[in-house]
């Protein structure tokens, strides 16, 4: 680990101003950043500690939504009575991520900003456009079993690792931020993440020094919710394919459908066309097969990860069957 300057912020405004300095990183729980610093994947010149900021509350909003502080630990958010009651997919997603010890430390804001678990991103001796822009993507012709089959590019096939972010995508979360100039922004999560294109090192739309302060959830979606995660082992493993879903059925027809996926792309993946295909239809095996075909219509494997395409189909079909029974 390289030497760095340390500063502790006392307000979000102070943190954002300090964070705007070149080569600066925010640290809260540190469950991802510290590992990257030890491996010299991340080499900040300054670290701004935001862990003492007053951003650790979950509050109910008008209209039945929630306002979640960026420093709320994952374990606390998963166990919160209103989250368990109204946002089951979010609670399940959080409990499916990492270990109990890490969930006690990892923060809501930090979870959204996790870096990829691509092997070549972590191995500084290999080329990686995400780590060193313009150096190439070793995963394209390397061992790419955990990599993306949707939304990737010739410059990067990494996936986003967060379980929580998949559920937040499903729930139409809004990310509230503090800017260094004192202004605030509200970013719909659907506009927050970026696909790799030719700039995979730019993973989201945050500006230098911009600090996540809250995540806001609207009232819960109609219908039943579910989070399903397929992984190599039952504990502390990242998703090969995961899915958050909310499906409402009335009078024998699907009246509302939301679907979000993890493990398939550079960002939590949501395809409105697949959702629209389901709405107004009677649940059936044929309909679910059609939806699965639509989900993977543009999917592309890279050898070791080819299995993700049929696996994604099976996960979608199984989830739809469970929620429409």
């Amino acid at each position: 680990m390289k030497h760095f300057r340390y500063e502790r912020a006392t307000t979000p405004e102070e943190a954002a101003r300090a964070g705007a300095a070149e080569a600066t990183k925010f640290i809260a729980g540190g469950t991802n950043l510290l590992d990257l610093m030890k491996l010299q994947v991340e080499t900040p010149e300054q670290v701004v500690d935001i862990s003492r900021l007053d951003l650790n509350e979950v509050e109910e909003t008008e209209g039945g939504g929630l306002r979640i502080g960026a420093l709320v630990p994952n374990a606390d958010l998963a166990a919160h009575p209103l989250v368990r009651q109204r946002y089951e997919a979010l609670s399940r997603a959080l409990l499916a991520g990492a270990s109990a010890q890490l969930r006690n430390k990892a923060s809501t804001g930090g979870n959204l900003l996790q870096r990829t678990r691509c092997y070549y991103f972590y191995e500084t001796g290999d080329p990686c456009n995400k780590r060193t822009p313009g150096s190439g993507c070793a995963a394209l012709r390397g061992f790419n079993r955990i990599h993306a089959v949707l939304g990737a590019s010739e410059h990067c096939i990494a996936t986003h690792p967060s379980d929580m972010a998949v559920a937040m995508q499903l729930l139409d979360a809004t990310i509230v931020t503090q800017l260094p100039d004192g202004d605030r922004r509200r970013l719909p999560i659907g506009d927050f993440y970026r696909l790799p294109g030719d700039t995979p090192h730019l993973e989201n739309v945050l500006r230098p020094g911009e600090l996540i302060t809250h995540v806001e959830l609207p009232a819960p979606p109609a219908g039943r919710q579910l989070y399903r995660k397929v992984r190599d082992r039952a504990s502390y493993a990242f998703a090969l394919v995961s899915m958050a879903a909310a499906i409402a059925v009335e009078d024998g027809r699907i009246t509302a459908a939301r679907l979000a996926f993890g493990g398939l792309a550079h960002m939590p993946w949501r395809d409105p066309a697949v959702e629209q295909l389901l709405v107004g239809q009677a649940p059936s095996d044929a309909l679910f097969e059609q939806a699965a075909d639509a989900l993977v219509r543009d999917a592309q494997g890279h050898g070791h990860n080819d299995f993700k395409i049929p696996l994604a189909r099976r996960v979608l079909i199984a989830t739809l069957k469970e929620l429409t029974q």
Side-chain angles (χ1 to χ4, degrees):
M1 184 183 291
K2 293 186 176 181
H3 292 287
F4 58 89
R5 297 188 305 277
Y6 171 87
E7 181 173 338
R8 180 181 294 174
T10 58
T11 67
E13 294 81 3
E14 180 183 303
R17 287 193 297 270
E22 187 175 355
T24 296
K25 291 289 183 180
F26 296 121
I27 189 167
T31 57
N32 188 200
L33 178 61
L34 289 177
D35 286 343
L36 294 172
M37 290 174 66
K38 290 173 184 177
L39 295 170
Q40 297 191 23
V41 175
E42 293 274 15
T43 55
E45 295 178 7
Q46 176 175 258
V47 171
V48 178
D49 185 351
I50 61 170
S51 63
R52 272 74 167 182
L53 300 184
D54 187 20
L55 300 173
N56 54 7
E57 298 293 330
V58 179
E59 304 168 302
E60 189 172 11
T61 61
E62 293 184 10
L66 290 182
R67 180 175 170 87
I68 303 162
L71 297 180
V72 174
N74 288 177
D76 291 359
L77 186 59
H80 193 281
L82 291 178
V83 174
R84 295 179 63 187
Q85 177 185 352
R86 300 178 185 176
Y87 305 97
E88 182 181 358
L90 175 58
S91 182
R92 286 175 175 259
L94 286 161
L95 292 173
S99 64
Q101 294 92 334
L102 287 173
R103 291 196 298 269
N104 285 336
K105 193 69 175 174
S107 66
T108 298
N111 194 314
L112 292 170
L113 298 176
Q114 283 187 78
R115 307 299 303 276
T116 184
R117 262 54 183 190
C118 172
Y119 325 113
Y120 302 101
F121 174 70
Y122 277 76
E123 178 47 69
T124 56
D126 288 323
C128 172
N129 287 319
K130 185 178 287 295
R131 177 172 24 83
T132 308
S135 63
C137 176
L140 279 168
R141 294 176 178 81
F143 184 62
N144 48 46
R145 182 172 180 272
I146 66 171
H147 290 71
V149 295
L150 290 171
S153 75
E154 63 181 5
H155 299 282
C156 183
I157 58 171
T159 56
H160 194 278
S162 171
D163 291 285
M164 185 196 77
V166 177
M168 292 292 193
Q169 182 80 284
L170 176 85
L171 298 169
D172 288 332
T174 295
I175 298 167
V176 183
T177 68
Q178 175 70 55
L179 291 162
D181 62 6
D183 288 343
R184 292 179 176 270
R185 282 211 293 172
R186 295 172 55 82
L187 303 167
I189 193 169
D191 299 330
F192 182 73
Y193 293 107
R194 301 168 60 126
L195 290 176
D198 58 2
T199 55
H201 61 291
L202 302 176
E203 299 174 351
N204 55 62
V205 299
L206 290 178
R207 302 169 187 170
E210 190 167 10
L211 173 71
I212 296 175
T213 61
H214 297 84
V215 177
E216 294 180 349
L217 299 179
R224 298 169 57 198
Q225 299 177 30
L226 185 65
Y227 185 76
R228 174 175 266 117
K229 180 177 182 178
V230 179
R231 46 189 163 174
D232 283 324
R233 58 182 185 272
S235 176
Y236 196 16
F238 295 96
L240 298 172
V241 177
S242 64
M243 178 180 177
I247 303 290
V249 180
E250 295 180 17
D251 299 325
R253 293 191 177 274
I254 297 171
T255 56
R258 295 190 192 185
L259 313 170
F261 299 86
L264 298 180
H266 198 256
M267 59 186 286
W269 190 261
R270 192 167 171 189
D271 189 336
V274 180
E275 299 173 357
Q276 293 166 9
L277 187 153
L278 295 168
V279 175
Q281 305 298 315
S284 69
D285 290 348
L287 176 66
F288 300 159
E289 291 280 352
Q290 187 180 356
D293 289 341
L295 172 66
V296 300
R297 63 187 179 277
D298 297 322
Q300 179 182 356
H302 299 276
H304 299 103
N305 68 345
D306 290 350
F307 75 96
K308 282 194 174 188
I309 298 173
L311 179 59
R313 294 185 83 264
R314 292 196 296 271
V315 169
L316 173 57
I317 291 169
T319 301
L320 292 174
K321 285 183 176 179
E322 183 170 349
L323 289 176
T324 56
Q325 288 177 348

